[in-house]
Amino acid sequence: MAPLTPRLVVPVDVKKQPWEQKIPLHNRWHPDIPPVADVTEGELFRVEMIDWTGGRVRDDNSADDIKFLDLTITHYLSGPLRIVDSEGIPASPGDVLAIEICNLGPLPGDEWGYTAIFERENGGGFLTDHFPSARKAIWYFEGIYAYSPQIPGVRFPGLTHPGIVGTAPSLELLNIWNEREERLAENKSKKLLNCIQEGTAEWHKIANEAARTIPGRENGGNCDIKNLSKGSKVYLPVFVEGANLSTGDMHFSQGDGEISFCGAIEMSGFLELKCEIIRGGMKEYLTPVGPTPLHVSPIFEIGPVEPRFSEWLVFEGISVDESGKQHFLDASVAYKRAALNAIEYLSRFGYSKEQVYLLLSCCPCEGRISGIVDSPNAVATLAIPTAIFDQCSYAD
Amino acid sequence: MAPLTPRLVVPVDVKKQPWEQKIPLHNRWHPDIPPVADVTEGELFRVEMIDWTGGRVRDDNSADDIKFLDLTITHYLSGPLRIVDSEGIPASPGDVLAIEICNLGPLPGDEWGYTAIFERENGGGFLTDHFPSARKAIWYFEGIYAYSPQIPGVRFPGLTHPGIVGTAPSLELLNIWNEREERLAENKSKKLLNCIQEGTAEWHKIANEAARTIPGRENGGNCDIKNLSKGSKVYLPVFVEGANLSTGDMHFSQGDGEISFCGAIEMSGFLELKCEIIRGGMKEYLTPVGPTPLHVSPIFEIGPVEPRFSEWLVFEGISVDESGKQHFLDASVAYKRAALNAIEYLSRFGYSKEQVYLLLSCCPCEGRISGIVDSPNAVATLAIPTAIFDQCSYAD
Amino acid sequence: MAPLTPRLVVPVDVKKQPWEQKIPLHNRWHPDIPPVADVTEGELFRVEMIDWTGGRVRDDNSADDIKFLDLTITHYLSGPLRIVDSEGIPASPGDVLAIEICNLGPLPGDEWGYTAIFERENGGGFLTDHFPSARKAIWYFEGIYAYSPQIPGVRFPGLTHPGIVGTAPSLELLNIWNEREERLAENKSKKLLNCIQEGTAEWHKIANEAARTIPGRENGGNCDIKNLSKGSKVYLPVFVEGANLSTGDMHFSQGDGEISFCGAIEMSGFLELKCEIIRGGMKEYLTPVGPTPLHVSPIFEIGPVEPRFSEWLVFEGISVDESGKQHFLDASVAYKRAALNAIEYLSRFGYSKEQVYLLLSCCPCEGRISGIVDSPNAVATLAIPTAIFDQCSYAD
Amino acid sequence: MAPLTPRLVVPVDVKKQPWEQKIPLHNRWHPDIPPVADVTEGELFRVEMIDWTGGRVRDDNSADDIKFLDLTITHYLSGPLRIVDSEGIPASPGDVLAIEICNLGPLPGDEWGYTAIFERENGGGFLTDHFPSARKAIWYFEGIYAYSPQIPGVRFPGLTHPGIVGTAPSLELLNIWNEREERLAENKSKKLLNCIQEGTAEWHKIANEAARTIPGRENGGNCDIKNLSKGSKVYLPVFVEGANLSTGDMHFSQGDGEISFCGAIEMSGFLELKCEIIRGGMKEYLTPVGPTPLHVSPIFEIGPVEPRFSEWLVFEGISVDESGKQHFLDASVAYKRAALNAIEYLSRFGYSKEQVYLLLSCCPCEGRISGIVDSPNAVATLAIPTAIFDQCSYAD
């Protein structure tokens, strides 16, 4: 029996452009995007990923790259991977794909990331009405820790995770998405990467039909769940033969909500994964909530190794907006208030509000729906582990 | 120096009606409700509270009491308490009141509680469209544990907390509330308890002006934050002289969101508290987010003693509702989907959906806003600690 | 079904002397000490206990009470309790008694405790060569927290537990104990409490044969395991009919090792317990390690509710003693060095060494056997949760 | 500012023999072993290490390699590293070296390890009287997890750490060691590696004077502290100019005590470290406990990222040995009993006792000194996190 060095199925080269990678990347959800590799159930494999912008953000002090960033292409995903069982039979529609995250991290040699506020006119973010201008913080990694020259006095360990883990939709599911999101301007962008021969009829067809990768959906996708870290396991529905698993948008760390939009510590990175096919699992475990059997949702498990902080500073918000207007049991408004309250408070300790906004986007803070039934106010809380701030240590 | 037996400032007798208590209870927020006792900064004191329905729910198998429960009166609060410093000078508007929760629990001799689904026509709840009929589960306490004959196979320790901790509003703040909630039917109920002489002009005035206790607001109030447990500390704004602190709605346990509305394990109980007055603290720490200096929010701290579970089963939801309709970045819809997904999944293991709905309302599950910027879908998660389910133990 | 108010089977009155209690206490292990009450498997019951010295230590600033304390009588135990199953059949030798600790705490109205260093000539302690003189710290409880006027700047939540939980030995086991401990001076003390009629032949017989309660043994007894707190479960061997369960020596908090001997925060208190009889469990689960089937050891489980601290300051010790002499893989010497190192270090921050010695005895520090095979040095560590020291909070 | 790719200061090649490495390794403590590289305070650097036996243990099913393993050479250490400040001034005797462990893990391409029981005649172990024959378990790593074909049904995440982190002793300290350990047979081995030119007078001098690396001592060294993992910080005394920091003996995981001697999951691996020099720190922070100022001990800090398990099965032991003989307050005997009790118990579930012995050596179990003052019995406990055993997961 040989040591378990994970098999590298998708290498990337961060010095190359996204469309120049040896194994082509893709940037849309579509059943016809062809798999780039086969992976066998039970084997440990490694996937590398470039950052979500494909290297467009620079390690410098200017936010100009953020200000003018073209969002019509992202995200850059590695895959799809075709998952087969030990006899070579691929995962089938109706199966569940269980994916264990055995390891992950930044790419060796590329140990840095960034958090940014998008310009109001170019994507914005949760608090874009308050923070309309582009900002950027660079984070350097020291092993498990990150620190930023732009936000001094803060250093924290990453709860590193992929923002995106998803399977390919079937055409039927894709149609459901396109229909329900048809009024969404950003879905009109037809910029498909060269995951198939560019300019061909097939390329145009996929470019026209495919879904953007921005929102999380029935297939998982851009769920931005910060706890999907080492040792967790995600159960995804299979909609197409082979499952066609894609991953991307690595985050060194993220706060619940990823509020500034480019809010995690965005980076390139790698995943070491192990898959299991649960035959017929969708019917058995993933009951649809919606008009069709495709209206399912992923499930995941968090295991015993997640770091846990023991002391938290917590900010409340109610669903009364900044103008004083009442919103009926609206958790989004309540969370916005909680975030604004946290920003106001922390800005009293020498930080600018933009710095705090960036920090709340990327530090391991928890966003909770505390009350959702006490009419008319939803109550949300934002909890910050106090250990992220400079602590006295032995030597001080 | 004498042992620190907490001074009992508000005793209750659960065998008596709410309006027969020796120290009168109150059920509305109003600056003119007179304090029932003085408490000195730094002293350890004990407040007892009846359950939020004032004893209307019976320890039996029928949900009829829930079905016809009169919601126009609740909650029954103990207090207000006038907080003074060591020189007898009361807390003043603009101060912050820091309240440490040193201990809490059920009332000795009354070690049980209930979780209920309200009838759609009588209050409803987060999932009332799916569960329109009244249901009830009784919980018995074995020390720190609760179990229910109505939901077998489950037993968990309580993260016990008060649903309501609040200070009295000033008249100015009360006016803001009344104005912004004026279309709210439930605010029309004028049923003031006998906290002042019933039928007097003063009583009528207060009954007309006072705010309902249902929603959380700037003064704290019914925030239903499940982590406000032993060892935590809450910082409340002071709006009136003496702060006029009230508490009530004790929960043996609650899930984030308290989704079935009467969703915690509701009980009578006691709090052992210690207060500190931070003079001028509002200006220094609680920046308003809103049109007036009164638009503030409480802050709290969670300390190192909160129980922490290490393994979780997590359900996702996106802001696409049960009909398949898209809602734009709506965390409430996403959380509803996460809850429905959890109910579907757990109902496969021998529970009825109503049982799971009740369970998710009261067990220590976490409701998280995972993604709030990935247009058009908000992503929310509901995480259940697996340790609440029957575990194999040594003897099995 | 009625609420589960625990049945009080052993009340105590801390204002009375140990021998004046309504239900007699006992202070030795012997099979013929008669049970004071029956308890049925599955029922929730409450036992109250006086502190281990029977009220001889006063809430004052002098250590004279400690200096001259008569140690020939302790501990004062509540029980024994005869455990029967639902059909009234008592636990039998060979069974295992599973005891769940559902709740525990100080006695209402007696919320204080003490930690002491014993005089070298009167009991001493782990570091008696360094700290030969009697000292005392009084601790006052504020709910879950304790603080001491004698050790300022420290406040911590208790991991409250009974120092002693044990079943009665059979005569055969008692003989084994008496034989192996025969050279132990302290075992010569024949002072039996009035748990049976004093002065009778039976009383003299038991007084002569019975074992002291100081050490932990096969029956559990004075194990001083600080994690035997709320929500844990202990599995004890049954040696006599009815099991004859006794409890005592309540600790508000204790560090691993309880190094100053009277090192926990000693107090009166209560336990709320639930028992289960595992018929024939000894043979099935408790294999003897020793020359007879009686050489067994208890097992216990720690559940998910134990408080956990996230940051620790750790001191190492190797098995080289204070004179520089090598001891071969001796964990006791290594732990002594770790404790001395911690005392030296912490005494640099304004504490006297006696204060630190007291603190390490009673705060929730962990004593670990880190290395026990790296000849010639055992390595032990003593880890202190930094959260016990005064922390900056919101208001500071 | 460039990304923080750690500078590789000591590479190793596991395909080569220990004495063939490009940067020479060393295997003894001596002040005259020359540094192999300089490291500047504050820089992030990487050290690679071969396993403690230098590749003598094979990935196969036979324990013959263990049975005849030559223990006279080990351990193989990387370093020493000379630590200098930003101005190039080296750490000086009397300083404290603070070393932060930013990251660590197995070497890429060598993701496996082993746990072994040594033959009684060749090193033995803590329970060698019970398990006199050589045994071996191979562990394969799947990211953060390890599993062994020899111990099925178990899989756990590693709390990975270096067994050895130490600074070089001064000649004066070395003399103290040699004197106090002079009767130790294993210290007679004069086999110095080629860290200096072999066969020279200098080589012979060092070979004769140098100390074995087996025990932990004042300089840190082989402390085998399982919690010295990612995010922790160790404070070591500096005895020679430059500190001369060495590391080795990487453990994927270890139980407290490392009881089978080769008891951790031994592997090759890497460390990413950051150092800080605290000038004059020894006098300020590390008070000696012993006859000279050199009798100091390291201190370390555990930060918020250590994985924490929430459910534990705990075995007790008292200081009565397997023959039934009493040992006075002997924590080593008590821990031996706790280990034997755990082995007896777990062997009832289908494991051989040798399998359990191996498992307790390497899984993240905690060995505690629970009672050390209750004459005549020390009480020790061994706590096993239940999550290491196969758990039901979603798909089962």
Side-chain angles (χ1 to χ4, degrees), chain A residues 190-207:
Chain A
K190 306 298 184 194
K191 300 197 182 166
L192 180 65
L193 215 55
N194 59 340
C195 50
I196 61 166
Q197 177 80 40
E198 219 167 333
T200 61
E202 178 76 352
W203 184 91
H204 281 292
K205 176 180 180 294
I206 295 179

Short mmCIF file of all heavy atoms in Angstrom, two decimals, chain A residues 190-207:
data_model
loop_
_atom_site.label_atom_id
_atom_site.label_comp_id
_atom_site.label_asym_id
_atom_site.label_seq_id
_atom_site.Cartn_x
_atom_site.Cartn_y
_atom_site.Cartn_z
N LYS A 190 -22.67 37.08 -21.70
CA LYS A 190 -22.53 35.83 -22.46
C LYS A 190 -21.06 35.42 -22.60
O LYS A 190 -20.68 34.77 -23.56
CB LYS A 190 -23.14 36.00 -23.85
CG LYS A 190 -24.58 36.49 -23.85
CD LYS A 190 -25.52 35.53 -23.16
CE LYS A 190 -26.97 36.01 -23.26
NZ LYS A 190 -27.85 35.28 -22.32
N LYS A 191 -20.23 35.85 -21.67
CA LYS A 191 -18.80 35.63 -21.85
C LYS A 191 -18.34 34.27 -21.34
O LYS A 191 -17.90 34.14 -20.21
CB LYS A 191 -18.03 36.74 -21.15
CG LYS A 191 -18.37 38.12 -21.70
CD LYS A 191 -17.34 39.13 -21.30
CE LYS A 191 -17.73 40.51 -21.84
NZ LYS A 191 -16.96 41.58 -21.23
N LEU A 192 -18.39 33.30 -22.17
CA LEU A 192 -17.95 31.97 -21.79
C LEU A 192 -16.45 31.84 -22.03
O LEU A 192 -15.92 32.31 -23.04
CB LEU A 192 -18.69 30.92 -22.62
CG LEU A 192 -18.32 29.47 -22.34
CD1 LEU A 192 -18.72 29.06 -20.93
CD2 LEU A 192 -18.98 28.56 -23.37
N LEU A 193 -15.78 31.21 -21.09
CA LEU A 193 -14.35 30.97 -21.20
C LEU A 193 -14.11 29.86 -22.25
O LEU A 193 -15.04 29.21 -22.72
CB LEU A 193 -13.82 30.54 -19.84
CG LEU A 193 -12.42 31.01 -19.46
CD1 LEU A 193 -12.28 32.51 -19.56
CD2 LEU A 193 -12.10 30.52 -18.06
N ASN A 194 -12.84 29.64 -22.55
CA ASN A 194 -12.50 28.65 -23.57
C ASN A 194 -12.48 27.21 -23.08
O ASN A 194 -11.58 26.45 -23.37
CB ASN A 194 -11.13 29.00 -24.19
CG ASN A 194 -10.04 29.01 -23.12
OD1 ASN A 194 -10.34 29.14 -21.94
ND2 ASN A 194 -8.80 28.90 -23.55
N CYS A 195 -13.51 26.86 -22.30
CA CYS A 195 -13.58 25.48 -21.82
C CYS A 195 -14.02 24.55 -22.96
O CYS A 195 -13.87 23.34 -22.87
CB CYS A 195 -14.54 25.38 -20.64
SG CYS A 195 -16.13 26.14 -20.94
N ILE A 196 -14.59 25.09 -23.99
CA ILE A 196 -14.70 24.37 -25.26
C ILE A 196 -14.18 25.31 -26.35
O ILE A 196 -13.98 26.50 -26.11
CB ILE A 196 -16.14 23.89 -25.57
CG1 ILE A 196 -17.10 25.08 -25.67
CG2 ILE A 196 -16.63 22.88 -24.55
CD1 ILE A 196 -18.40 24.69 -26.31
N GLN A 197 -13.98 24.74 -27.47
CA GLN A 197 -13.39 25.50 -28.58
C GLN A 197 -14.16 26.80 -28.81
O GLN A 197 -15.34 26.79 -29.18
CB GLN A 197 -13.42 24.62 -29.84
CG GLN A 197 -12.92 25.29 -31.10
CD GLN A 197 -11.40 25.29 -31.16
OE1 GLN A 197 -10.75 24.30 -30.79
NE2 GLN A 197 -10.82 26.39 -31.59
N GLU A 198 -13.49 27.91 -28.62
CA GLU A 198 -14.14 29.23 -28.69
C GLU A 198 -14.63 29.50 -30.12
O GLU A 198 -13.97 29.15 -31.09
CB GLU A 198 -13.16 30.30 -28.28
CG GLU A 198 -13.83 31.39 -27.44
CD GLU A 198 -12.83 32.29 -26.75
OE1 GLU A 198 -11.72 31.82 -26.49
OE2 GLU A 198 -13.19 33.44 -26.50
N GLY A 199 -15.80 30.11 -30.19
CA GLY A 199 -16.31 30.52 -31.48
C GLY A 199 -17.10 29.47 -32.22
O GLY A 199 -17.80 29.77 -33.18
N THR A 200 -17.03 28.23 -31.73
CA THR A 200 -17.81 27.17 -32.39
C THR A 200 -19.29 27.36 -32.07
O THR A 200 -19.65 28.12 -31.16
CB THR A 200 -17.37 25.78 -31.89
OG1 THR A 200 -17.61 25.73 -30.48
CG2 THR A 200 -15.91 25.51 -32.17
N ALA A 201 -20.12 26.64 -32.82
CA ALA A 201 -21.56 26.68 -32.57
C ALA A 201 -21.86 26.22 -31.15
O ALA A 201 -22.67 26.83 -30.43
CB ALA A 201 -22.29 25.79 -33.58
N GLU A 202 -21.17 25.17 -30.76
CA GLU A 202 -21.34 24.65 -29.41
C GLU A 202 -20.99 25.70 -28.35
O GLU A 202 -21.68 25.88 -27.37
CB GLU A 202 -20.41 23.41 -29.26
CG GLU A 202 -20.42 22.77 -27.89
CD GLU A 202 -21.66 21.94 -27.63
OE1 GLU A 202 -22.60 21.98 -28.44
OE2 GLU A 202 -21.69 21.26 -26.60
N TRP A 203 -19.90 26.41 -28.62
CA TRP A 203 -19.49 27.46 -27.69
C TRP A 203 -20.56 28.54 -27.59
O TRP A 203 -20.93 28.97 -26.49
CB TRP A 203 -18.16 28.07 -28.16
CG TRP A 203 -17.57 29.09 -27.22
CD1 TRP A 203 -16.68 28.87 -26.22
CD2 TRP A 203 -17.83 30.51 -27.21
NE1 TRP A 203 -16.38 30.04 -25.57
CE2 TRP A 203 -17.08 31.07 -26.16
CE3 TRP A 203 -18.64 31.36 -27.99
CZ2 TRP A 203 -17.09 32.44 -25.86
CZ3 TRP A 203 -18.66 32.72 -27.68
CH2 TRP A 203 -17.89 33.25 -26.63
N HIS A 204 -21.10 28.95 -28.72
CA HIS A 204 -22.14 29.98 -28.71
C HIS A 204 -23.39 29.49 -28.01
O HIS A 204 -24.02 30.22 -27.24
CB HIS A 204 -22.46 30.42 -30.14
CG HIS A 204 -21.44 31.39 -30.68
ND1 HIS A 204 -21.31 32.67 -30.20
CD2 HIS A 204 -20.48 31.26 -31.63
CE1 HIS A 204 -20.33 33.30 -30.83
NE2 HIS A 204 -19.80 32.45 -31.72
N LYS A 205 -23.75 28.24 -28.27
CA LYS A 205 -24.93 27.66 -27.61
C LYS A 205 -24.76 27.70 -26.10
O LYS A 205 -25.63 28.18 -25.35
CB LYS A 205 -25.11 26.22 -28.10
CG LYS A 205 -26.24 25.47 -27.43
CD LYS A 205 -26.35 24.03 -27.98
CE LYS A 205 -27.47 23.25 -27.32
NZ LYS A 205 -27.27 22.98 -25.92
N ILE A 206 -23.64 27.21 -25.61
CA ILE A 206 -23.41 27.17 -24.17
C ILE A 206 -23.34 28.58 -23.60
O ILE A 206 -23.93 28.88 -22.56
CB ILE A 206 -22.12 26.38 -23.86
CG1 ILE A 206 -22.30 24.91 -24.27
CG2 ILE A 206 -21.76 26.49 -22.38
CD1 ILE A 206 -21.09 24.03 -24.05
N ALA A 207 -22.64 29.45 -24.30
CA ALA A 207 -22.53 30.84 -23.83
C ALA A 207 -23.90 31.48 -23.67
O ALA A 207 -24.16 32.24 -22.73
CB ALA A 207 -21.68 31.66 -24.80
#
